[in-house]
Amino acid sequence: MKKKLSFVNIVFFVVFGVLTGVLWAYLCPIPLIPGAVHFRTFAFIPVAIGYLFGPVTGFFSGYIGTVVWALLSGNFIPLHSPLTDGITVGLSAALPALIHLQAGKKDVLGLIEKGKGKFIGVSLFWSILFGVLMILTTSISLSYFTGLGYVYCILWIGIADVVPITLTPFVILLLAKRMKNIRNIVPYI
């Protein structure tokens, strides 16, 4: 059965993206690099959305969330925020679910039921790996557009994002069964 993009998907891309951006802007008050980076307490949200509702939904949650956060918090850096930061955050949300769930061939609930420990380990591995790759790529752009040192950017973005991303498998375990009815409404894509 081929999955296709629908209007409902687009609505949820926007809803999840705005939710992510608003949570990042208003419930993450600790600036690490003022005007550029803050501690994203909810950095796990787009990755968890990718696992629960599909990698494409996770990508747009991360992308739209990044742009909304940057605009609301006053940290919007032209070219960096909509291009590098948005795309890399979106990819770091989409790729763990895409690889771990084998492009939708496996269901997250099925993987959890087979073994929570294995699910935690594998999802943690993919989430952190793509989080680190996002940090390395985003730091290049941030250092170029702001004049900050590359290693300085890696350090502070790493603290801002990797620590909360480690919560991803535990949030998925907590939400997977509770979100089952919503997952029936939101087409997995």
Side-chain angles (χ1 to χ4, degrees), residues 5-159:
L5 183 67
S6 70
F7 179 72
V8 173
N9 288 110
I10 295 169
V11 168
F12 278 100
F13 294 165
V14 173
V15 169
F16 289 144
V18 170
L19 174 69
T20 300
V22 168
L23 286 173
W24 285 351
Y26 294 114
L27 296 178
C28 302
I30 304 168
L32 300 176
I33 301 175
V37 177
H38 72 288
F39 187 75
R40 289 193 233 210
T41 314
F42 298 98
F44 58 83
I45 289 176
V47 185
I49 288 171
Y51 269 96
L52 295 171
F53 301 106
V56 176
T57 307
F59 174 84
F60 282 105
S61 171
Y63 181 85
I64 294 169
T66 299
V67 173
V68 168
W69 161 77
L71 290 169
L72 290 176
S73 65
N75 293 326
F76 190 84
I77 301 168
L79 295 180
H80 169 74
S81 296
L83 293 178
T84 309
D85 198 17
I87 291 170
T88 57
V89 170
L91 288 173
S92 71
L95 293 175
L98 184 70
I99 292 171
H100 191 183
L101 302 177
Q102 297 177 358
K105 293 177 185 167
K106 293 184 176 181
D107 181 55
V108 70
L109 286 172
L111 287 176
I112 291 170
E113 289 169 0
K114 285 183 183 176
K116 287 182 183 179
K118 183 177 180 186
F119 175 79
I120 290 170
V122 174
S123 64
L124 192 59
F125 171 76
W126 289 117
S127 299
I128 291 174
L129 174 68
F130 287 111
V132 168
L133 292 174
M134 177 267 301
I135 290 162
L136 296 173
T137 307
T138 301
S139 293
I140 292 169
S141 173
L142 186 62
S143 67
Y144 177 78
F145 286 110
T146 63
L148 297 168
Y150 178 65
V151 174
Y152 182 78
C153 292
I154 290 173
L155 172 72
W156 290 110
I157 296 173
I159 291 169

Side-chain angles (χ1 to χ4, degrees), residues 159-170:
I159 291 169
D161 287 342
V162 171
V163 174
I165 285 174
T166 60
L167 298 174
T168 300
F170 306 103

